[in-house]
Amino acid sequence: MPAMETAEFDTELSLFKYDNLEQLPPEYRDFDEAERTRRIEGALDALGDDVVILGHNYQRREIVEHADFVGDSYQLSKEAAAADAEYVVFGGVTFMAESADIITDDDQTVVLPSMEASCPMAGMAEALQVDAAWAELTAATDADVVPVTYMNSYADLKAFCAEHGGLVCTSSNAHRAFEYALDEGDKVLFLPDKHLGENTAHRLGLEEEIAEWDPWDAASADAAAVIDNDVILWDGYCQVHERFSPSHVEQVRADHEDARVVVHPECRREVVEAADVVGSTATIRETVAEADPGETWAIGTEVHLTRHLQRWHPEVNVVPLCGEACMDCNAMRQIDPNYLAWVLEELAAGRERNVVEVAPEEKELARVALDRMLEV
């Protein structure tokens, strides 16, 4: 379907393009860990305060052990802006690097070690799809619809939301964003994670007002029926978190007496209902950090964070919610530690690789969406 003719910016003109992907040079592909660590540390010594490394909670040990900051995506972007380093090397995925470029100063350069690290959920809400859906949904009602996008989305979607009176949210403040949208308008369109949207609607007592828009089968969608509801959820999801089921909660309680369960709000509604604690990766980390020695906590999120928590808090019995079947994030996996060695050595030699840069107009609009989030 064609994009809206009234769009104020052309997302295809973004300076951030995936066709600038550079493959890891052959000489970097066979490092053992000792050699890789030596070369990373050598490059960091040469760069000094000119570089800051960000490691997302879902990254593997070999990345986070070199990170200056480890956390969730928005927190890391704020740390990068405060650090004021010339180079920001983001051990995360593409939308995170974009967010860092939006938040940091113009004289800071954001580098993503591998441009193949592209979040599948963010890719479930492409700009052309959203434009087309927006046209159909808004044509079916005289009510004011306010779009809200999860932080786990690309810069063009953040800009789209700003352009149409909406904002960005994190998993921690999604309920505030919903309240803002429903105060400013009559209905909220939430993208791209339907599970976070459903869990947020339940938190606000709006569970009877939910409808789902399937962008993959828009021909059969009834816009008039969908828009009759106050909360419209985009049919996107995180493949890691959707894997969890109530049976996993039942099994972990059977296997571990007195086990408690903490899950991410990107999980299915029935998993959230079965858990003891629900929250962001920061909440999950805090929950384990504050646990008493000997307590058992089952972790319902990406498995690398579970492994980090096992190392960081050996006094707590930390187990993955779905055992050996728990998944890592395919996108995060693309940040091979050898890529980190490569981009750092290139920076030390005065060469920039895999720079992420959001187009100026798109960046300005995305900042508006972020500023609205901070206001609420």
Side-chain angles (χ1 to χ4, degrees):
M1 297 183 184
M4 290 179 61
E5 295 179 358
T6 56
E8 295 180 8
F9 63 91
D10 185 352
T11 58
E12 293 184 355
L13 295 180
S14 171
L15 295 179
F16 179 65
K17 295 182 181 294
Y18 297 109
D19 59 8
N20 63 342
L21 184 150
E22 295 185 77
Q23 296 291 341
L24 186 68
E27 60 268 28
Y28 283 86
R29 296 176 186 174
D30 297 322
F31 288 163
D32 60 25
E33 185 166 355
E35 173 69 3
R36 180 176 59 238
T37 298
R38 183 186 67 79
R39 296 184 68 156
I40 288 174
E41 291 177 350
L44 290 175
D45 286 343
L47 289 162
D49 293 338
D50 289 339
V51 66
V52 61
I53 298 180
L54 309 178
H56 191 270
N57 285 319
Y58 295 161
Q59 268 298 345
R60 66 185 88 186
R61 172 188 59 80
E62 295 90 339
I63 298 293
V64 301
E65 68 184 3
H66 296 295
D68 296 288
F69 302 99
V70 179
D72 60 31
S73 60
Y74 184 56
Q75 171 200 348
L76 291 173
S77 294
K78 292 191 294 181
E79 297 284 8
D84 199 32
E86 180 180 358
Y87 295 108
V88 176
V89 178
F90 209 131
V93 294
T94 45
F95 80 78
M96 297 178 187
E98 284 188 333
S99 295
D101 186 54
I102 292 165
I103 292 173
T104 53
D105 292 338
D106 291 340
D107 59 358
Q108 291 180 280
T109 299
V110 178
V111 171
L112 187 67
S114 171
M115 299 296 274
E116 293 184 81
S118 182
C119 171
M121 180 170 68
M124 291 179 186
E126 296 285 353
L128 291 178
Q129 284 181 308
V130 176
D131 282 342
W134 182 259
E136 289 192 52
L137 291 168
T138 55
T141 182
D142 293 328
D144 291 329
V145 184
V146 177
V148 176
T149 187
Y150 189 20
M151 188 66 69
N152 299 26
S153 60
Y154 291 119
D156 56 8
L157 184 50
K158 293 179 173 73
F160 173 92
C161 288
E163 184 183 20
H164 294 285
L167 70 165
V168 179
C169 73
T170 67
S171 60
S172 298
N173 63 28
H175 62 293
R176 302 284 189 192
F178 271 49
E179 290 171 339
Y180 172 91
L182 294 173
D183 283 344
E184 295 293 317
D186 304 305
K187 302 174 186 295
V188 57
L189 170 64
F190 184 72
L191 315 98
D193 183 11
K194 64 182 179 182
H195 296 309
L196 176 59
E198 181 180 8
N199 289 322
T200 302
H202 274 263
R203 176 172 180 171
L204 296 175
L206 297 171
E207 60 271 18
E208 300 299 324
E209 298 294 332
I210 297 173
E212 192 172 301
W213 179 265
D214 183 356
W216 315 105
D217 191 20
S220 65
D222 185 345
V226 169
I227 206 68
D228 191 46
N229 295 269
D230 290 344
V231 179
I232 300 98
L233 305 178
W234 191 265
D235 187 15
Y237 55 89
C238 170
Q239 294 169 316
V240 169
H241 290 103
E242 194 178 58
R243 183 180 182 85
F244 295 108
S245 69
S247 64
H248 292 132
V249 178
E250 294 170 4
Q251 188 62 51
V252 82
R253 294 193 197 281
D255 292 342
H256 301 275
E257 186 178 2
D258 298 326
R260 302 186 69 194
V261 177
V262 55
V263 303
H264 197 282
E266 291 176 21
C267 292
R268 299 171 186 267
R269 178 66 198 158
E270 54 269 30
V271 175
V272 166
E273 290 176 333
D276 298 291
V277 178
V278 181
S280 65
T281 55
T283 296
I284 293 171
R285 287 181 58 171
E286 290 167 4
T287 297
V288 175
E290 295 171 2
D292 292 331
E295 286 186 4
T296 296
W297 280 93
I299 312 299
T301 192
E302 204 270 355
V303 72
H304 279 108
L305 178 53
T306 304
R307 293 170 183 162
H308 298 329
L309 292 171
Q310 289 170 336
R311 291 195 307 276
W312 296 340
H313 303 286
E315 76 284 0
V316 180
N317 184 26
V318 177
V319 298
L321 179 57
C322 54
E324 295 301 319
C326 283
M327 293 175 60
D328 62 354
C329 172
N330 289 332
M332 290 284 180
R333 190 189 304 160
Q334 302 309 313
I335 307 294
D336 187 284
N338 290 352
Y339 271 99
L340 180 61
W342 172 54
V343 296
L344 288 173
E345 290 194 332
E346 288 292 282
L347 288 176
R351 295 183 292 269
E352 298 176 354
R353 302 291 187 184
N354 292 342
V355 172
V356 173
E357 188 176 10
V358 179
E361 186 177 1
E362 194 172 283
K363 181 185 292 189
E364 182 178 354
L365 280 167
R367 281 176 175 163
V368 170
L370 287 166
D371 287 343
R372 287 178 183 154
M373 177 186 76
L374 296 177
E375 290 171 6
V376 302

